[in-house]
Amino acid sequence: MSQTLKRVGQRTVQFSNPPCIISTATIVGPKEGEGPLAHTFDKVMEDTYYGQKSWEKAESKILEESVQMALQKVNLSLQDIDYLLAGDLINQIICCNFAARTLGIPFFGLYGACSTMYEGLALGAMLIDGGFASKVVAATCSHHNTSERQYRYPTELGSQRPMTAQWTITGAGAFVLASEGTGPRITHATVGKVVDAGVKDPFDMGAAMAPAALDTLVNHFKDTGRGPQDYDLIVTGDLASVGRSVLIQLAQQQGYDLSQNYTDCGVLIFDPSQDTHAGGSGCACIAVVTGGYILNQMKAGKLRRILGIATGALLSPLSVQQGESIPGIAHAVAIEL
Amino acid sequence: MSQTLKRVGQRTVQFSNPPCIISTATIVGPKEGEGPLAHTFDKVMEDTYYGQKSWEKAESKILEESVQMALQKVNLSLQDIDYLLAGDLINQIICCNFAARTLGIPFFGLYGACSTMYEGLALGAMLIDGGFASKVVAATCSHHNTSERQYRYPTELGSQRPMTAQWTITGAGAFVLASEGTGPRITHATVGKVVDAGVKDPFDMGAAMAPAALDTLVNHFKDTGRGPQDYDLIVTGDLASVGRSVLIQLAQQQGYDLSQNYTDCGVLIFDPSQDTHAGGSGCACIAVVTGGYILNQMKAGKLRRILGIATGALLSPLSVQQGESIPGIAHAVAIEL
């Protein structure tokens, strides 16, 4: 009862023994493997089916393999992991459920839309720092074709998409967190509230999610006494080019200058020539960009302290059909060397 | 780093300062309000729309109201709560997302199918005992009509259901957990693995989930050194009548006699005359039965130590169409006076 709360300010957790990211693994689809970050991923799929009978089974398979790959890198086996925290975009998170069946690790299923990777990192770090686990894996996946046919139109239709639309990436990322080890550490987590800016266009999710990112960002700064200048990099995933501009503008109005050291995973993962319109999205986007490019930069000593903010659009085809707007949520995690 | 892990055996967490269930609230639909537990619920809906324009909006509304009601009972406001942990059965857990929008509490979205209530209790207790929160709310909801039209057939069809089928209940339950206070306490949590017995019939989910319940139950007993005789009541939710018989038989083969003090929330919530076939199911079933009937019995001193095991069937219409079997998961939580 006498325990001191590991909290600072209103909304932020400050870990007492910051959990370590001892390993990550990333797998991406063919299109992502042609983008500017190609060299930072562990594996590029040759095709979108990946030897499976459906895109959903392929999505499940890459999640499973990313977890196994992350463990192999540090010579751990599935039995060494206390909990798996994972979720995806597909109805009833079946891709993660079926991967968890094969992996056999005690499993917490999550749903945070594209914020899921950082929801898992925040919770996973709490389970370790709280003394409930010595090692956990947080993971997520998305697949362009499974999302497209579930959220939008049958892929066969070849519908045109407006320029504000984002491209759900195909990929999977797994992070192994441990109480001890070498690697960057998760020092803070600021958990998001659901924020609704009233946007109703499912082809403009960057604008829908930017206010949620702002809310979490501003609260993180207020709670910790930090500002943009205290981070080498602030990275969202995935507001893409439209939402990124909105966030910079909204932050400016609150007195925070993001123009110097802020980027977005949806912007980083594709080259404009790849014709993805506003950029990437999907649970896996921030997962593979953080797990690959950004952590590589940290390990190389080029970045020492980053703030990652994963944003999720909390819509479903049904909620849109019933006239609901698209609220967003954003979870922030500070990672430091 | 020197922190002692709060774990016993392979899979079980033993809380160092067991979090207290300081309040609960339960709302159920009209049919559940005609059942044998009617007097134990806080509110019975007059109709399934509850003044909303769709069943999904009604499901969201009762979740929101159950949280507010649970807080009102102990004179707490929304601002007093550090985290809301919630999930439901509907695609992209929209009922919980939209309720979280109104409630404005930092939100962890969960998906554990009908195991979600205990997934939230286990995680919520860890967040408190780990020092990351002083008060959290864990909540869930389900609605017969939203589930029926999503998972099975359009409700207008009036399709016949086999006798092994369960009836998704309409309801919502919210639990307020706190580091201090009076009330029963969560002493242990055993988190489930995904277990697949190869069952492919979505109208026989009790049989599909019983092996997952067995796995968690047996591991809980091995980890804690306890057996059925150490609990005044062991309660699953929801194997219903078919799955309950399967679990008793499977446990018998492992040397555990469940015949004396084991029941299931899906069996308790309806009277056979209500023609629900095997009994109740849905995220809300174990939530409202635990939050109402069972905790009432504990507060009255009639039960001092119970083991609740929430079971989830990890299927989706798509996974069934793609020929997948129906794996299950089960999370156990021990609650003691």
Side-chain angles (χ1 to χ4, degrees):
Chain A
M1 296 305 183
S2 59
Q3 193 169 35
T4 312
L5 274 181
K6 299 165 189 168
R7 293 176 72 91
V8 288
Q10 291 291 309
R11 300 251 299 266
T12 300
V13 158
Q14 181 170 6
F15 295 103
S16 54
N17 293 306
C20 187
I21 302 170
I22 59 169
S23 180
T24 63
T26 55
I27 302 176
V28 296
K31 188 179 180 83
E32 295 71 22
E34 291 166 0
L37 302 184
H39 60 289
T40 67
F41 304 123
D42 291 306
K43 190 171 188 178
V44 177
M45 299 157 72
E46 284 187 16
D47 66 80
T48 55
Y49 279 102
Y50 203 58
Q52 304 296 309
K53 285 188 177 167
S54 72
W55 288 319
E56 289 76 15
K57 288 179 199 278
E59 184 177 343
S60 186
K61 192 70 184 170
I62 56 172
L63 183 85
E64 185 190 317
E65 286 194 7
S66 71
V67 173
Q68 286 168 327
M69 202 183 290
L71 294 177
Q72 279 158 11
K73 285 186 186 182
V74 283
N75 291 315
L76 290 174
S77 68
L78 297 166
Q79 291 72 35
D80 295 317
I81 305 304
D82 297 313
Y83 299 114
L84 171 66
L85 300 114
D88 58 65
L89 293 171
I90 301 308
N91 298 343
Q92 288 74 54
I93 65 164
I94 51 164
C95 302
C96 287
N97 289 337
F98 285 100
R101 175 182 66 175
T102 313
L103 295 168
I105 305 169
F107 176 52
F108 287 116
L110 307 180
Y111 185 81
C114 301
S115 74
T116 302
M117 186 70 247
Y118 277 48
E119 181 184 357
L121 289 177
L123 276 173
M126 292 186 202
L127 299 189
I128 289 175
D129 191 45
F132 306 107
S134 53
K135 293 183 188 70
V136 307
V137 171
T140 190
C141 53
S142 57
H143 191 302
H144 180 73
N145 298 0
T146 65
S147 282
E148 206 60 21
R149 68 177 172 186
Q150 174 182 284
Y151 280 104
R152 299 178 188 96
Y153 299 107
T155 46
E156 294 83 353
L157 267 182
S159 302
Q160 275 208 325
R161 303 154 61 247
M163 292 309 284
T164 52
Q166 294 174 233
W167 184 277
T168 306
I169 80 140
T170 300
F175 286 62
V176 186
L177 308 184
S179 53
E180 301 184 43
T182 53
R185 291 177 179 274
I186 295 179
T187 59
H188 299 77
T190 306
V191 175
K193 293 182 180 183
V194 178
V195 174
D196 195 337
V199 172
K200 289 198 170 192
D201 179 1
F203 290 103
D204 190 4
M205 299 217 277
M209 294 186 287
L214 178 79
D215 177 69
T216 299
L217 182 77
V218 168
N219 277 282
H220 177 82
F221 287 155
K222 286 185 182 163
D223 289 346
T224 57
R226 294 181 174 181
Q229 70 286 354
D230 293 306
Y231 288 100
D232 298 326
L233 184 69
I234 296 169
V235 60
T236 50
D238 308 288
L239 299 179
S241 62
V242 175
R244 180 178 175 273
S245 305
V246 175
L247 179 60
I248 290 174
Q249 212 173 336
L250 293 173
Q252 192 69 51
Q253 291 165 9
Q254 302 275 325
Y256 297 105
D257 176 15
L258 295 185
S259 66
Q260 300 305 308
N261 58 345
Y262 161 55
T263 189
D264 181 85
C265 296
V267 172
L268 293 172
I269 198 165
F270 292 120
D271 187 84
S273 69
Q274 292 183 278
D275 195 25
T276 59
H277 300 3
S281 70
C283 295
C285 188
I286 194 168
V288 300
V289 176
T290 309
Y293 173 67
I294 293 175
L295 288 184
N296 287 355
Q297 297 269 306
M298 294 192 84
K299 286 174 200 160
K302 293 178 189 165
L303 299 172
R304 297 195 61 81
R305 191 192 263 186
I306 72 130
L307 182 68
I309 306 174
T311 58
L314 302 176
L315 81 163
S316 81
L318 190 92
S319 71
V320 172
Q321 284 158 11
Q322 293 190 356
E324 283 287 2
S325 52
I326 303 172
I329 193 163
H331 302 301
V333 165
I335 306 175
E336 308 184 29
L337 278 186
Chain B
M1 296 303 183
S2 58
Q3 192 170 38
T4 311
L5 276 181
K6 299 164 189 169
R7 293 177 71 92
V8 287
Q10 291 291 309
R11 299 249 302 266
T12 300
V13 158
Q14 181 170 6
F15 294 103
S16 54
N17 293 306
C20 185
I21 301 170
I22 60 169
S23 181
T24 63
T26 55
I27 301 176
V28 296
K31 189 178 179 84
E32 294 71 24
E34 290 167 1
L37 302 183
H39 60 288
T40 66
F41 304 122
D42 291 307
K43 190 170 186 179
V44 177
M45 298 157 73
E46 283 186 16
D47 66 79
T48 55
Y49 279 103
Y50 203 58
Q52 303 296 310
K53 283 187 178 171
S54 73
W55 288 319
E56 288 77 13
K57 288 178 197 278
E59 183 177 343
S60 186
K61 192 71 185 167
I62 55 172
L63 183 85
E64 185 190 318
E65 286 194 7
S66 71
V67 173
Q68 286 169 329
M69 201 184 289
L71 294 177
Q72 279 158 12
K73 285 186 185 182
V74 283
N75 291 316
L76 290 174
S77 69
L78 296 166
Q79 291 72 34
D80 296 318
I81 305 303
D82 297 312
Y83 299 114
L84 170 66
L85 300 112
D88 57 65
L89 293 171
I90 301 308
N91 298 344
Q92 288 74 54
I93 64 163
I94 51 164
C95 302
C96 287
N97 289 337
F98 285 100
R101 175 182 66 176
T102 313
L103 295 168
I105 306 169
F107 176 53
F108 288 115
L110 307 179
Y111 184 81
C114 300
S115 74
T116 302
M117 186 70 246
Y118 277 48
E119 181 184 358
L121 289 177
L123 276 173
M126 291 185 203
L127 298 189
I128 290 175
D129 191 45
F132 307 106
S134 54
K135 293 182 188 72
V136 307
V137 171
T140 191
C141 53
S142 56
H143 191 302
H144 180 73
N145 297 3
T146 66
S147 281
E148 205 61 22
R149 67 177 172 185
Q150 175 182 283
Y151 281 104
R152 297 177 190 97
Y153 299 106
T155 46
E156 295 83 353
L157 266 183
S159 302
Q160 275 208 324
R161 302 153 64 246
M163 293 309 284
T164 53
Q166 295 174 233
W167 183 276
T168 306
I169 81 141
T170 300
F175 286 61
V176 186
L177 308 185
S179 52
E180 301 185 41
T182 52
R185 289 177 180 273
I186 295 179
T187 59
H188 299 76
T190 306
V191 174
K193 293 183 180 183
V194 178
V195 174
D196 194 337
V199 172
K200 288 198 171 192
D201 179 1
F203 290 104
D204 191 5
M205 299 218 277
M209 295 187 286
L214 178 80
D215 178 68
T216 299
L217 183 77
V218 168
N219 277 283
H220 177 83
F221 287 155
K222 285 183 182 164
D223 289 346
T224 57
R226 293 179 175 183
Q229 70 287 352
D230 293 305
Y231 288 100
D232 297 327
L233 184 70
I234 295 169
V235 61
T236 49
D238 311 286
L239 299 179
S241 61
V242 175
R244 180 178 176 273
S245 304
V246 175
L247 180 59
I248 291 174
Q249 213 173 337
L250 293 173
Q252 190 71 50
Q253 292 165 8
Q254 301 275 325
Y256 296 106
D257 176 16
L258 295 185
S259 65
Q260 300 304 308
N261 58 343
Y262 162 55
T263 188
D264 180 85
C265 295
V267 172
L268 292 171
I269 198 165
F270 292 121
D271 187 85
S273 68
Q274 291 182 278
D275 196 25
T276 60
H277 299 4
S281 71
C283 295
C285 188
I286 194 167
V288 300
V289 175
T290 308
Y293 174 68
I294 293 175
L295 287 184
N296 286 355
Q297 297 268 308
M298 293 192 82
K299 286 173 199 160
K302 292 178 189 165
L303 300 171
R304 298 196 60 82
R305 189 191 265 185
I306 72 129
L307 182 68
I309 305 173
T311 59
L314 302 176
L315 81 163
S316 80
L318 190 91
S319 72
V320 172
Q321 284 159 12
Q322 293 191 357
E324 283 285 2
S325 51
I326 304 172
I329 194 164
H331 301 303
V333 165
I335 305 175
E336 308 184 28
L337 278 185

